[in-house]
Amino acid sequence: MILTVTPNPSLDRTYEIPALERGAVLRAASDRVDPGGKGVNVSRAVAAAGHRTVAVLPLGGPEGALLARLLGGLGIEAAGVPVQGSTRVNISVAEPDGTLTKINAAGPELTTAEAEALLEAVRTQSADADWIACCGSLPRGLAPEWYAELVARAHRAGARIALDTSGPSLTAALRERPDVVKPNAEELAQAVGRPLATVGDAVKAAEELRALGARAVLASLGADGQLLVDETGSYFGVAHVAAVRSNVGAGDASLAGFLAAGGLGPAALASAVAHGAAAVQLPGSVMPTPADLDPWAGPTPPGRPPGPPPPRPPRPP
């Protein structure tokens, strides 16, 4: 079972339009509403793969009630913490060429009591968890050290923690030694304070995060692939993508694939790459099922210097 923690969940409404024209009245070719937030997306991908998952999250107002109902319809157990403010609604506008314009709401401000109730919900729900995935930005009212406290408490209880956040929240949590951190390329560059021009630069940055406390670093490098740096070495994987339809939730699908495959080593990286590549070819924030995965996605063999992957073998007829 994979337990996810999403401190600032959302309802994600996606509109697909022919082209974005500022100031015009636009008619959507299609639209959809999905449960959102990075941890929620991880739960959705885990559930789509047929595994059990529990989502811990604050829920408020009619938006929160709808979010809980949507999660239940996807086979996800929602462990909601009632809060006074309303769950946020985010808007995404997708164009045919893959361009995505997003408007993310701030979300409710949590009280001190609500923040503690969220931590307590993680404790009570984590007894059967193989992994706890803590994901996303922190809502108003939660200090950057909130994730660090969650990681510390989870480790004292013997749980494994995957952390997908950025900025001060990531920096503060590193001292508690999360088992894996999941930055994208921009977040990885921000964490080390310099631009990253090559995969080799990303490897060095990941090694710095490990020196600061992360036991493993799983980094999404966009179209360039994904990188795993852990105590056994550095691994790089890539998958072919025919066309990008939407990149919403692709990194979350990658983390779900990584954890569902055990969260360790090249085999887990291969699963992460396959899940991320499948997600970008689906509309909105739809999460991939096993049927959507590319079996050729995988890591560069151990010992090979990080860099462009070798050509993939042709598919059998």
Side-chain angles (χ1 to χ4, degrees):
M1 189 272 278
I2 295 174
L3 180 75
T4 65
V5 185
T6 311
N8 200 11
S10 63
L11 289 174
D12 285 353
R13 181 175 288 277
T14 301
Y15 296 93
E16 292 193 345
I17 61 171
L20 180 61
E21 183 180 351
R22 187 180 178 201
V25 176
L26 307 175
R27 300 190 183 279
S30 65
D31 67 276
R32 59 182 298 123
V33 177
D34 296 301
K38 295 182 72 61
V40 167
N41 288 338
V42 172
S43 276
R44 292 172 57 212
V46 171
H51 302 290
R52 183 184 171 214
T53 180
V54 177
V56 175
L57 67 176
L59 296 174
E63 296 85 359
L66 175 57
L67 176 54
R69 190 160 62 249
L70 291 173
L71 290 174
L74 295 172
I76 298 168
E77 302 171 40
V81 174
V83 297
Q84 296 176 6
S86 294
T87 299
R88 61 179 176 157
V89 179
N90 295 336
I91 302 296
S92 297
V93 179
E95 299 176 71
D97 65 355
T99 301
L100 189 74
T101 303
K102 298 184 66 178
I103 303 173
N104 287 349
E109 182 172 354
L110 272 58
T111 66
T112 300
E114 291 167 346
E116 181 61 32
L118 201 56
L119 289 170
E120 179 62 16
V122 176
R123 185 190 68 80
T124 58
Q125 295 291 330
S126 62
D128 298 329
D130 296 292
W131 278 93
I132 301 175
C134 311
C135 305
S137 60
L138 294 176
R140 294 174 295 167
L142 268 60
E145 294 77 19
W146 189 86
Y147 270 137
E149 178 64 19
L150 191 156
V151 174
R153 293 190 189 190
H155 277 167
R156 287 197 295 268
R160 293 186 295 176
I161 293 286
L163 180 63
D164 185 355
T165 191
S166 60
S169 298
L170 173 60
T171 303
L174 287 174
R175 66 173 181 263
E176 299 297 341
R177 302 207 67 203
D179 297 274
V180 61
V181 296
K182 169 63 178 64
N184 60 29
E186 180 180 349
E187 293 163 348
L188 184 58
Q190 180 188 40
V192 297
R194 63 178 183 274
L196 307 176
T198 67
V199 174
D201 291 341
V203 171
K204 293 178 182 177
E207 289 172 342
E208 290 179 31
L209 293 194
R210 292 196 68 242
L212 291 171
R215 294 175 180 173
V217 178
L218 175 67
S220 295
L221 306 180
D224 293 328
Q226 294 192 47
L227 173 71
L228 174 65
V229 179
D230 61 19
E231 63 181 3
T232 69
S234 302
Y235 308 92
F236 177 69
V238 69
H240 172 70
V241 174
V244 174
R245 190 168 181 184
S246 171
N247 61 10
V248 177
D252 308 323
S254 294
L255 180 56
F258 184 77
L259 299 180
L264 296 169
L269 174 61
S271 179
V273 170
H275 279 77
V280 300
Q281 299 178 80
L282 298 171
S285 60
V286 175
M287 292 292 112
T289 66
D292 298 312
L293 303 184
D294 180 358
W296 289 100
T300 300
R304 186 189 300 274
R312 295 189 309 161
R315 295 180 184 273

